[in-house]
Amino acid sequence: MGRLTVNNVSRTFYKGNGAPTIALSDITLEIKDKEFVCFIGPSGCGKTTLLRIIAGLDTPTSGEILLDGTKISVPDAKRGMVFQEYSLFPWRTVIDNIAFGPQMQGKNKNESLKIAEKYLGLVGLEQFKNSYPYELSGGMRQRVAIARALANDPKVLIMDEPFGALDAQTRNILQHELLEIWRKNNITILFVTHSMDEAVFLADRIVVMSARPGKIVDIIDVDLPHLRDRTAPESNELRNHVLKLLAKEREK
């Protein structure tokens, strides 16, 4: 399963003798197994910090996060993370980048490559398996990054603005492909975005966060079937609601 429980999580950063920076304040949230949740809020509101804590890359100042009842304290294969930067190994081919995770889990080379081939097919890049990252477009590199995260068979896929640097057409294509990957793999996805359109198109629920210190302003259920019509009145209504919430935060 991939059920997450966020209990009263706060995060404060201390730098030298300067005043402390409160990034997150008392975040409490339940995320169901196989749910697609988008996080949106002003820049600097702590969205990335929260995802890093869920990934085990950072620790809360107070509170805790549980995955299926077990406290998260360090990174592990149950949670895969995809960043806005592609973070691929430039010296490894596409297939070897994807096979890296299974190899680190102790699987032999043949088994790791077999797993990598499966996820390479899932993102439609079989013909580029022997290419290097610099030979690929931005969208293709992000597909490889997603495949590499999935190759570890995570329960939760954590995505920090993964499509933010892409052009609009490529971004829309990858949104469709991500929904198909989500459907086929039955995993929980946590997705940070600054795009209201992206959040409404992808999410089961949208978590709207306040300006720093980051708090939850609202949690919006997106009760629309996939695949969604971006121009439908219901989609426009949801976008406008999120826009008004964010506008209030900017005014503070």
Side-chain angles (χ1 to χ4, degrees):
M1 295 177 65
R3 181 172 176 269
L4 284 160
T5 303
V6 181
N7 287 327
N8 306 113
V9 165
S10 297
R11 180 67 168 100
T12 301
F13 292 96
Y14 300 90
K15 292 186 178 180
N17 296 323
T21 300
I22 304 173
L24 296 171
S25 178
D26 197 27
I27 302 291
T28 295
L29 177 65
E30 289 279 347
I31 297 170
K32 298 188 288 287
D33 182 39
K34 302 181 182 68
E35 190 173 19
F36 198 129
V37 177
C38 282
F39 295 81
I40 194 166
S43 295
C45 73
K47 301 182 296 295
T48 294
T49 298
L50 178 59
L51 261 63
R52 285 178 59 83
I53 293 172
I54 294 172
L57 298 172
D58 196 0
T59 54
T61 306
S62 61
E64 63 178 6
I65 299 178
L66 309 176
L67 174 59
D68 297 328
T70 301
K71 184 177 179 179
I72 293 171
S73 57
V74 295
D76 64 36
K78 294 178 182 178
R79 285 157 285 124
M81 190 153 187
V82 179
F83 301 91
Q84 182 173 350
E85 301 81 15
Y86 312 113
S87 63
L88 301 174
F89 299 124
W91 60 89
R92 281 178 170 257
T93 62
V94 165
I95 192 74
D96 287 334
N97 261 286
I98 299 170
F100 178 77
Q103 288 173 340
M104 292 298 99
Q105 292 179 22
K107 294 179 172 60
N108 63 43
K109 184 176 181 180
N110 287 338
E111 188 177 4
S112 297
L113 289 174
K114 185 176 180 180
I115 292 169
E117 291 273 6
K118 171 187 172 182
Y119 288 102
L120 194 60
L122 189 66
V123 298
L125 290 177
E126 302 96 324
Q127 70 189 90
F128 297 97
K129 69 178 185 179
N130 294 318
S131 299
Y132 287 89
Y134 74 87
E135 298 176 299
L136 307 179
S137 69
M140 292 164 71
R141 289 197 295 271
Q142 199 59 291
R143 285 187 178 95
V144 177
I146 293 169
R148 187 174 68 173
L150 292 172
N152 289 317
D153 193 26
K155 295 181 179 181
V156 179
L157 184 61
I158 301 166
M159 310 185 79
D160 187 8
E161 293 191 76
F163 307 147
L166 303 175
D167 64 86
Q169 182 178 0
T170 302
R171 187 170 186 156
N172 287 351
I173 291 169
L174 287 185
Q175 288 168 2
H176 282 274
E177 292 180 355
L178 179 60
L179 288 173
E180 185 66 12
I181 289 168
W182 172 56
R183 185 186 65 80
K184 288 180 178 178
N185 285 269
N186 293 313
I187 57 176
T188 304
I189 295 183
L190 309 181
F191 190 104
V192 163
T193 181
H194 279 103
S195 167
M196 285 164 286
D197 176 79
E198 190 164 61
V200 170
F201 185 74
L202 292 174
D204 291 324
R205 287 191 297 162
I206 301 170
V207 177
V208 182
M209 295 182 65
S210 70
R212 191 171 64 238
K215 300 178 181 179
I216 294 176
V217 174
D218 199 1
I219 300 176
I220 301 166
D221 292 316
V222 185
D223 190 20
L224 300 173
H226 291 291
L227 292 166
R228 293 170 183 161
D229 181 354
R230 299 177 194 270
T231 63
E234 298 85 356
S235 295
N236 290 329
E237 184 178 343
L238 281 169
R239 277 195 298 271
N240 287 336
H241 179 54
V242 176
L243 180 62
K244 289 176 182 177
L245 289 171
L246 293 176
K248 287 181 181 178
E249 289 305 309
R250 285 196 297 271
E251 292 169 0
K252 290 181 179 179

